[in-house]
Amino acid sequence: KTKKDVLLYMRFFCRKLVNNKITRDYEIDLILRNDNQAHPVLGIFGRYILVEAKNWKKKVGVEQVNHFLSKMKFHDCKCGILISKNGSSTSKKGIRYAHLTKLKEFHRYGQIMMELTLRDLEEISGGKNLLSILLERYEDIRFDAFSK
């Protein structure tokens, strides 16, 4: 199973998809419209969810995390999901910086950026619930319980 399978699964929960939206300044890989505001987990994420996919062998750097958070802020999105093979940053120090960046954004602006890795996608393909993974990521940032 692939990233497309996860996106189809997300479509089950979020009714409207816009793929590869190109603005004057950048591209947004996926915009989900969350019509399930009453759902106990999805309601946390707001009306629109931006999704960015990075099919890179290397980890995503803090610069890309900041860029994605800027897209979320510009479009007034409460939630974003970054999908990458290996997560964010290239060093232990960089991982901490990426986490601190996400933590500051949450506490300063109320925005949450969650990450899904190839391992997460494999677990979802194996039957693990996507929403439980997203809730775990949300709580890691909200309560500063960085577990990776």
Side-chain angles (χ1 to χ4, degrees):
K1 304 217 176 203
T2 64
K3 178 178 70 176
K4 287 184 180 181
D5 295 318
V6 173
L7 298 179
L8 287 173
Y9 183 78
M10 290 174 79
R11 168 129 194 206
F12 177 76
F13 293 104
C14 300
R15 301 181 192 275
K16 178 99 174 167
L17 289 170
V18 177
N19 290 312
N20 294 332
K21 174 72 176 166
I22 298 174
T23 69
R24 292 181 196 150
D25 299 316
Y26 47 77
E27 179 180 359
I28 300 171
D29 291 341
L30 184 66
I31 301 170
L32 300 173
R33 188 178 73 207
N34 179 7
D35 290 333
N36 292 313
Q37 296 291 298
H39 189 279
V41 176
L42 289 172
I44 296 169
F45 301 149
R47 177 60 120 192
Y48 292 97
I49 302 169
L50 297 187
V51 179
E52 181 85 11
K54 299 291 184 194
N55 190 17
W56 300 349
K57 289 184 181 182
K58 63 180 184 170
K59 292 185 177 192
V60 175
V62 176
E63 299 81 17
Q64 287 79 28
V65 168
N66 279 321
H67 185 69
F68 185 51
L69 287 164
S70 293
K71 289 180 190 181
M72 290 171 50
K73 207 176 299 158
F74 182 79
H75 293 287
D76 197 24
C77 292
K78 189 175 179 179
C79 177
I81 301 169
L82 179 68
I83 301 173
S84 66
K85 285 184 178 180
N86 298 305
S88 61
S89 293
T90 56
S91 68
K92 287 266 188 212
K93 190 174 185 180
I95 289 170
R96 181 159 171 72
Y97 287 145
H99 174 69
L100 290 174
T101 299
K102 292 185 288 182
L103 186 65
K104 283 192 302 187
E105 289 292 317
F106 177 76
H107 288 288
R108 185 175 291 155
Y109 303 108
Q111 293 180 305
I112 188 82
M113 189 205 93
M114 297 168 288
E115 295 181 56
L116 292 176
T117 64
L118 180 58
R119 181 176 170 202
D120 295 322
L121 301 182
E122 290 167 350
E123 287 179 357
I124 293 163
S125 294
K128 189 165 182 181
N129 185 291
L130 171 63
L131 291 181
S132 68
I133 292 173
L134 292 177
L135 182 59
E136 180 182 310
R137 297 301 190 284
Y138 171 82
E139 290 173 344
D140 281 352
I141 297 296
R142 181 181 174 108
F143 301 110
D144 193 18
F146 190 52
S147 59
K148 292 185 179 187

